[in-house]
Amino acid sequence: MADEDICVVLTENDVSQWDDETGRVYHFPKQYQKSISPGMRFVYYKGKLKSENKQYSSLRLSDSPHYFGIGRISKIEPDDAGNLNAILTDFQKFEHAVLAKKDDGYYEEIPDSKKSNYWRSSVRPISAEIFADIAVAAALTEPRHIIGDIKNEDVHIEDETDEESLISYQEGKKSSKFVTTYERDQKLKKLAKALHGTTCFACGFNFGEFYGEYAKDFIHIHHVVPVSEFGGSKNVDPKKDLVPVCANCHGIIHRKKDRTLSIDELKAMIAASKKTP
């Protein structure tokens, strides 16, 4: 895996000698130093609740081994004892546990060489694909993002300045139009950002890098499949149906009412013009 494709699992214990703060600070020994680096996305994990720690059951999402949140590692700082602290940011706690074991095995890929002791490691590198699978599994237990079929009604967009208000429609249909009835689902938008980041998929522009801290994490979220192509209501999967794009690219994608450009088409246009933002 390339470095940018590596994420990490951070294990949080019910009882710890360290002054960790969930979602803010995570202490780890130097032996895991090569597994954690600034910018990495992480998944929080808790192992099986031990019988002697039953008083912590109400503080967990499940007594079974499970994942309970995601975020990003901001920086690494040494502590007074020669170990390290990961400073965390963008923490999103799941509303429901994602159990580590699923019907066909585990989310994490366990190497043959570590089958007997894999779960003993408190810090475990995983692929971006596994990170995405866990994050999406958490979203699927919550209210979904639905595209509704609005019969014989004009399309109404409540806020033209909303980041997700740009939609293309086919003209000439007599019986129906489609509109996102839960378009402003903030949980889904945050999840799409966590899965894909906040750099434009088409041109590579990043608001935070260009404008600084004030614009950090700002991005539009684009529906890959045009609303006009749905034959009825449709669940939207943030992993494959939503991508981040900058405001300029989003505007060009939806410039024509009868056509929505694909990301690849827009990339080709940018390459042909030999211009970057």
Side-chain angles (χ1 to χ4, degrees):
M1 289 185 293
D3 289 345
E4 62 268 22
D5 294 329
I6 299 176
C7 301
V8 67
V9 171
L10 303 181
T11 300
E12 183 179 86
N13 297 317
D14 295 306
V15 180
S16 174
Q17 60 180 310
W18 314 113
D19 294 327
D20 287 1
E21 296 179 63
T22 301
R24 297 187 62 186
V25 180
Y26 182 81
H27 176 278
F28 63 97
K30 274 193 171 180
Q31 71 186 78
Y32 296 119
Q33 187 171 6
K34 293 183 178 180
S35 298
I36 301 179
S37 60
M40 270 188 176
R41 292 170 294 179
F42 71 85
V43 179
Y44 259 134
Y45 168 86
K46 279 186 180 291
K48 183 179 180 180
L49 180 66
K50 296 180 180 179
S51 57
E52 64 268 27
N53 294 331
K54 288 295 184 181
Q55 68 270 28
Y56 295 101
S57 181
S58 62
L59 302 177
R60 300 166 53 112
L61 295 181
S62 173
D63 290 351
S64 300
H66 68 283
Y67 307 99
F68 66 93
I70 58 175
R72 190 175 294 274
I73 295 168
S74 175
K75 57 184 176 179
I76 308 296
E77 296 179 344
D79 66 8
D80 296 336
N83 290 307
L84 299 165
N85 287 318
I87 308 303
L88 311 177
T89 187
D90 300 330
F91 174 54
Q92 299 176 55
K93 185 177 180 179
F94 297 159
E95 290 193 5
H96 305 273
V98 175
L99 299 183
K101 186 176 177 62
K102 52 183 181 176
D103 293 339
D104 57 349
Y106 295 93
Y107 282 97
E108 295 181 55
E109 297 176 355
I110 304 175
D112 290 338
S113 61
K114 294 185 178 181
K115 283 188 179 296
S116 62
N117 61 359
Y118 179 80
W119 301 100
R120 295 179 186 176
S121 298
S122 58
V123 175
R124 304 187 294 270
I126 57 172
S127 67
E129 183 70 17
I130 293 174
F131 172 93
D133 286 345
I134 294 170
V136 169
L140 296 186
T141 64
E142 301 172 4
R144 298 302 305 279
H145 193 69
I146 305 296
I147 303 297
D149 184 358
I150 310 301
K151 295 290 186 182
N152 300 314
E153 294 181 15
D154 291 333
V155 173
H156 173 63
I157 296 179
E158 297 177 3
D159 181 4
E160 290 295 338
T161 64
D162 185 86
E163 292 180 20
E164 298 181 33
S165 64
L166 297 172
I167 305 173
S168 296
Y169 301 92
Q170 289 181 353
E171 294 183 329
K173 287 190 174 182
K174 296 181 180 180
S175 60
S176 65
K177 291 184 180 180
F178 299 92
V179 64
T180 49
T181 57
Y182 296 98
E183 183 66 47
R184 291 152 191 85
D185 185 331
Q186 295 301 310
K187 289 181 181 178
L188 195 83
K189 184 187 294 183
K190 288 180 179 180
L191 181 56
K193 289 181 179 180
L195 293 173
H196 302 303
T198 55
T199 296
C200 178
F201 264 38
C203 72
F205 182 81
N206 184 286
F207 285 93
E209 292 175 1
F210 189 85
Y211 292 104
E213 184 67 23
Y214 185 83
K216 182 181 178 182
D217 295 332
F218 179 82
I219 197 70
H220 285 206
I221 300 299
H222 167 62
H223 292 268
V224 174
V225 179
V227 176
S228 60
E229 293 182 8
F230 294 163
S233 63
K234 172 180 168 60
N235 290 336
V236 176
D237 184 341
K239 180 180 174 182
K240 63 181 181 180
D241 295 333
L242 301 177
V243 296
V245 293
C246 71
N248 284 346
C249 287
H250 207 187
I252 296 302
I253 286 172
H254 293 285
R255 185 166 185 261
K256 304 288 187 179
K257 286 186 176 182
D258 59 347
R259 181 186 179 189
T260 300
L261 295 177
S262 69
I263 296 296
D264 287 340
E265 286 176 320
L266 193 58
K267 284 182 177 180
M269 290 171 59
I270 293 171
S273 70
K274 298 181 180 180
K275 295 177 182 178
T276 56

